[in-house]
């Protein structure tokens, strides 16, 4: 079974457990923190994925880092996953948890690439359009500046992409003239 499928199942189990214990928001914050720490500390991911490192050592490391930063439910979850020999998928599980939580709460992430920084009004307009088109409750905008676009923007939400950049338009025009 692929790592993503297994991670998805573990994430679903944690979501169910968190809902049962009225701690979904807390578990979400814990998974976001875990994801951030692993992103910033590649050594931690390497330790979790290393089959040579003893399970109790991995549990000790996770407790040392997160004991006072995450809830008891999350710490217990970490311990269970590590003791089952699945510590290699903890990072993927955290990502899947955040993804599933966002889906449950109607939160959509929009990646916007522009030639210059977005104004507050343009950002609000994008949020309004995405909310309207996808029926989202909340939109998180990840903004990226790429001066090679010349002008316009590229909006990516999930697996859909809308390219309204001048560079893309010029490229299409160039292909048409080449034929």
């Amino acid at each position: 079974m692929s790592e993503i499928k297994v991670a998805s199942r573990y994430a679903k189990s944690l979501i169910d457990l968190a809902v049962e214990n009225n701690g979904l928001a807390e578990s979400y914050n814990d998974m976001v923190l875990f994801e951030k720490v692993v992103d910033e500390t590649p050594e931690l991911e390497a330790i979790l994925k290393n089959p040579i490192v003893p399970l109790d050592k991995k549990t000790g490391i996770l407790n040392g880092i997160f004991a006072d930063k995450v809830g008891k439910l999350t710490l217990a979850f970490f311990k269970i996953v590590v003791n089952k020999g699945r510590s290699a998928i903890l990072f993927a599980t955290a990502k899947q948890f955040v993804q599933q939580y966002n889906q449950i709460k109607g939160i959509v992430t929009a990646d916007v690439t522009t030639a210059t920084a977005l104004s507050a009004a343009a950002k609000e307009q994008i949020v309004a359009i995405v909310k309207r088109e996808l029926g989202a409750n909340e939109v998180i905008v990840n903004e990226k500046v790429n001066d090679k676009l010349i002008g316009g923007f590229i909006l990516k939400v999930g697996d859909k992409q809308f390219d309204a950049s001048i560079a893309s338009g010029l490229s299409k025009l160039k292909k048409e003239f080449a034929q």
Side-chain angles (χ1 to χ4, degrees):
M1 199 179 311
S2 77
E3 180 180 287
I4 292 174
K5 278 186 178 178
V6 174
S8 180
R9 289 183 178 169
Y10 274 90
K12 174 79 171 102
S13 297
L14 180 57
I15 284 175
D16 292 344
L17 194 60
V19 167
E20 196 174 291
N21 290 298
N22 295 322
L24 185 59
E26 180 185 32
S27 293
Y28 170 75
N29 292 332
D30 294 348
M31 288 295 119
V32 168
L33 174 68
F34 178 76
E35 207 177 342
K36 182 177 183 235
V37 170
V38 174
D39 265 341
E40 293 171 356
T41 320
E43 298 87 10
L44 178 58
E45 186 177 17
I47 289 168
L48 292 173
K49 286 187 174 189
N50 190 333
I52 297 169
V53 178
L55 301 180
D56 59 333
K57 186 114 173 153
K58 291 178 183 182
T59 304
I61 290 168
L62 289 171
N63 277 334
I65 296 170
F66 297 104
D68 57 342
K69 294 179 181 84
V70 300
K72 289 180 183 175
L73 181 68
T74 303
L75 277 178
F77 179 77
F78 287 163
K79 187 176 181 180
I80 290 168
V81 173
V82 170
N83 287 338
K84 285 192 174 284
R86 297 288 200 159
S87 62
I89 64 157
L90 267 177
F91 185 53
T93 301
K95 286 181 174 182
Q96 287 295 314
F97 182 95
V98 170
Q99 210 172 33
Q100 291 177 24
Y101 176 89
N102 286 346
Q103 196 171 16
I104 290 167
K105 295 293 184 179
I107 301 170
V108 175
T109 302
D111 298 313
V112 182
T113 307
T114 57
T116 59
L118 280 175
S119 67
K123 202 179 227 181
E124 284 176 30
Q125 206 172 13
I126 288 170
V127 167
I129 290 169
V130 172
K131 276 184 176 180
R132 184 183 69 230
E133 293 298 317
L134 298 178
N137 295 328
E138 185 182 333
V139 178
I140 299 169
V141 178
N142 293 334
E143 193 178 340
K144 199 165 42 173
V145 176
N146 180 352
D147 56 1
K148 291 185 176 132
L149 293 182
I150 304 169
F153 65 93
I154 299 171
L155 172 64
K156 187 175 181 195
V157 179
D159 59 351
K160 294 179 175 87
Q161 181 170 313
F162 177 72
D163 191 342
S165 64
I166 293 175
S168 173
L170 289 173
S171 175
K172 286 176 190 168
L173 198 58
K174 186 177 175 183
K175 285 179 186 173
E176 285 179 25
F177 278 126
Q179 290 177 349

